[in-house]
Amino acid sequence: MSQPRIDEDEARSLARALVADLPPARTPVRDFLAAQFDRGLAWINHPPGHGGLGADVRLQAAVNHVIKEAGGPDAFEINPIGHGMCAPTLVVWGTEEQKRRHLRPLFTGEEIWCQLFSEPGAGSDVAGLAARARRDGAEWVADGQKVWTTMAHRSSWGLLIARTDPDAVKHQGLTAFLLDMSAPGVEVRPLYQLTGEAEFNEVFLDGVRIPDAARLGRVGDGWKVVLTTLMNERVSIGGVIPPRGSGPIARLVERYRELARTDPATARLHTGAVADLWVRAEVLRLANIRLSQLRTGDTPGPEGSISKIIAADLNKDVYSELVTLMGAEGLLYESYDKVRPVLAMEYSTPQKAFLRSRANSIEGGTSEVMKNVLAERVLGLPGDPRADKDVPWRDIPRS
Ligand SMILES: Cc1cc2nc3c(=O)[nH]c(=O)nc-3n(C[C@H](O)[C@H](O)[C@H](O)COP(=O)(O)OP(=O)(O)OC[C@H]3O[C@@H](n4cnc5c(N)ncnc54)[C@H](O)[C@@H]3O)c2cc1C
């Protein structure tokens, strides 16, 4: 894609004009996000008309910064799976019609999206998935079960990967679809997590009819679509560039300061640990800035796995230290009422954030799998043994 010569100053002034014309404090969230999309400031690298200006992807950070400073809404928080994973996949693989239909309501949060990849027998090895889609004239008929589907209970659309050719080797017999979550035969059931919330779900597909026009990419190209999504997912989870000292580390430092006032002797015992975590948070932030500057194409590379691993461990350690500083209060839990959250990743209390952080090294690919990706794709080390690589999926033993 040829990129217009917009520099960082111009990107900033476009964002300033947006917040001046639609002051966030007086503008309904959806109206603001619709205007952000229409002015090409949603995903600045997307083509004009699809939420972007066809500009350098690295300029988005400058736009986001201006909007955040002005108190504007964050489209990612409203629709994290849609914004971070489905939209970048749609823009690479979608037809013009699919992009026109889906990107705007996805960005404004009118239509929430989920990612229907994992299954009970296929998580790390997602290419081994068993949900089937069979061709029937101008439609496909899907059957099977997905699991751990974040926000499926609020989603209008899902990015579905299904097996369309069981005779092909496992990576080749897959096809991607845009699934209307209100279609007959789609059933969503809650899965309650350690936090007491059901942020994710099981999704059952029973004879669900999907028009061929909702196929994403060519038949058999599902694995390539999956890779686009996963590369974006890793950066979307681990590659965040917050202002220095903000986010979880700010919560920890604030708590430490409070303890230093009320119980300086105990606080002193924790000074080294808190400083160490602050340094780690800052190193990750700087590394993410560097990674984002190195990025040129629309899809991030395997380096995104570095941030994903580091962010997972850091987040766990920060919240662990935070509840430790809280002493006995850290053991109190606000409520164990079973909740179906409206927003994913809403960590109201440190205790909830501590429990939720345990999932960071699993969601979006486990830390062990990220290490395999880094070993093979970045360091060029020999690959994991893959005995089923050349075997038709139908013949691979399954439990
Ligand atoms: C909070 C949360 C939200 C999620 N949201 C979604 C979602 O929206 N959509 C979706 O599709 N999925 C989602 N997932 C699923 C997630 O992608 C999977 O849980 C993850 O990929 C691991 O798969 P698994 O749970 O089947 O574990 P398994 O693959 O069974 O792994 C079990 C253990 O074996 C290790 N392991 C597996 N293979 C290897 C290997 N080759 N080398 C070394 N170690 C290995 C793993 O690291 C892990 O410790 C979510 C998960 C969580 C926790």
Side-chain angles (χ1 to χ4, degrees):
M1 186 190 305
S2 72
Q3 293 177 350
R5 260 183 268 133
I6 287 190
D7 63 17
E8 198 168 316
D9 286 342
E10 283 165 304
R12 275 183 207 286
S13 54
L14 289 171
R16 282 197 202 102
L18 172 70
V19 297
D21 294 345
L22 293 100
R26 299 201 301 272
T27 309
V29 168
R30 263 188 205 158
D31 293 353
F32 184 92
L33 293 175
Q36 186 179 346
F37 183 94
D38 294 340
R39 294 182 186 205
L41 299 174
W43 298 276
I44 203 160
N45 57 311
H46 283 195
H50 295 314
L53 297 170
D56 189 322
V57 65
R58 291 169 287 192
L59 299 180
Q60 189 64 46
V63 169
N64 292 352
H65 189 73
V66 171
I67 294 174
K68 194 177 171 87
E69 295 259 287
D74 182 341
F76 176 80
E77 276 175 14
I78 297 168
N79 193 2
I81 311 285
H83 187 280
M85 297 153 222
C86 301
T89 309
L90 260 168
V91 89
V92 173
W93 292 98
T95 60
E96 280 304 298
E97 174 51 31
Q98 287 169 337
K99 291 182 216 176
R100 211 173 18 254
R101 161 67 186 84
H102 291 294
L103 285 169
R104 195 172 188 271
L106 182 160
F107 187 76
T108 62
E110 260 162 273
E111 292 179 344
I112 304 293
W113 281 68
C114 63
Q115 174 196 7
L116 297 150
F117 286 15
S118 303
E119 297 182 4
S124 300
D125 181 24
V126 72
L129 61 84
R132 287 289 311 273
R134 295 176 184 76
R135 184 101 197 209
D136 182 17
E139 293 181 323
W140 295 80
V141 182
D143 292 279
Q145 182 191 348
K146 296 289 174 178
V147 75
W148 320 126
T149 319
T150 303
M151 300 317 269
H153 56 290
R154 292 204 58 235
S155 292
S156 309
W157 291 92
L159 177 54
L160 169 71
I161 307 295
R163 187 158 302 281
T164 44
D165 183 0
D167 297 319
V169 297
K170 65 179 183 181
H171 290 89
Q172 282 171 20
L174 302 169
T175 303
F177 299 93
L178 309 176
L179 179 70
D180 176 354
M181 294 295 286
S182 64
V186 179
E187 189 192 344
V188 177
R189 293 188 201 157
L191 282 172
Y192 287 95
Q193 290 155 260
L194 188 64
T195 53
E197 295 192 336
E199 179 188 313
F200 56 29
N201 304 268
E202 294 179 289
V203 177
F204 295 87
L205 307 174
D206 183 7
V208 181
R209 302 196 80 85
I210 305 172
D212 189 51
R215 174 166 45 79
L216 187 65
R218 285 177 308 196
V219 175
D221 270 353
W223 184 246
K224 294 183 191 158
V225 177
V226 167
L227 287 181
T228 305
T229 311
L230 294 183
M231 292 301 181
N232 280 288
E233 180 169 26
R234 284 158 200 170
V235 172
S236 144
I237 294 177
V240 183
I241 306 174
R244 171 186 275 185
S246 67
I249 196 68
R251 288 174 103 172
L252 176 64
V253 170
E254 191 188 320
R255 187 75 202 188
Y256 174 82
R257 289 210 174 105
E258 203 179 310
L259 191 66
R261 275 195 302 276
T262 55
D263 183 357
T266 306
R268 261 197 297 279
L269 299 174
H270 291 271
T271 307
V274 173
D276 182 49
L277 288 163
W278 193 92
V279 170
R280 282 171 59 192
E282 182 60 6
V283 168
L284 174 63
R285 195 181 76 85
L286 295 174
N288 280 340
I289 291 175
R290 184 155 165 67
L291 275 178
S292 72
Q293 284 167 347
L294 292 173
R295 186 177 157 188
T296 46
D298 283 341
T299 303
E303 317 76 50
S305 300
I306 301 174
S307 314
K308 165 79 173 70
I309 297 175
I310 295 175
D313 285 345
L314 176 64
N315 214 28
K316 286 191 200 179
D317 292 348
V318 165
Y319 281 118
S320 178
E321 179 66 15
L322 178 51
V323 290
T324 305
L325 288 187
M326 292 169 76
E329 190 196 338
L331 298 173
L332 297 176
Y333 207 66
E334 57 174 354
S335 158
Y336 237 101
D337 286 345
K338 290 188 166 172
V339 178
R340 296 287 265 159
V342 173
L343 289 179
M345 296 172 254
E346 199 177 29
Y347 313 134
S348 48
T349 64
Q351 295 93 328
K352 185 181 281 182
F354 166 72
L355 293 183
R356 179 60 179 76
S357 69
R358 304 291 105 186
N360 294 158
S361 50
I362 305 172
E363 61 197 323
T366 68
S367 290
E368 290 78 18
V369 168
M370 291 305 108
K371 286 178 188 163
N372 282 347
V373 172
L374 286 178
E376 294 174 25
R377 307 254 333 266
V378 178
L379 300 177
L381 300 181
D384 227 13
R386 292 185 176 92
D388 58 8
K389 196 165 153 258
D390 300 317
V391 181
W393 178 81
R394 190 187 285 290
D395 298 333
I396 300 173
R398 269 177 294 283
S399 52

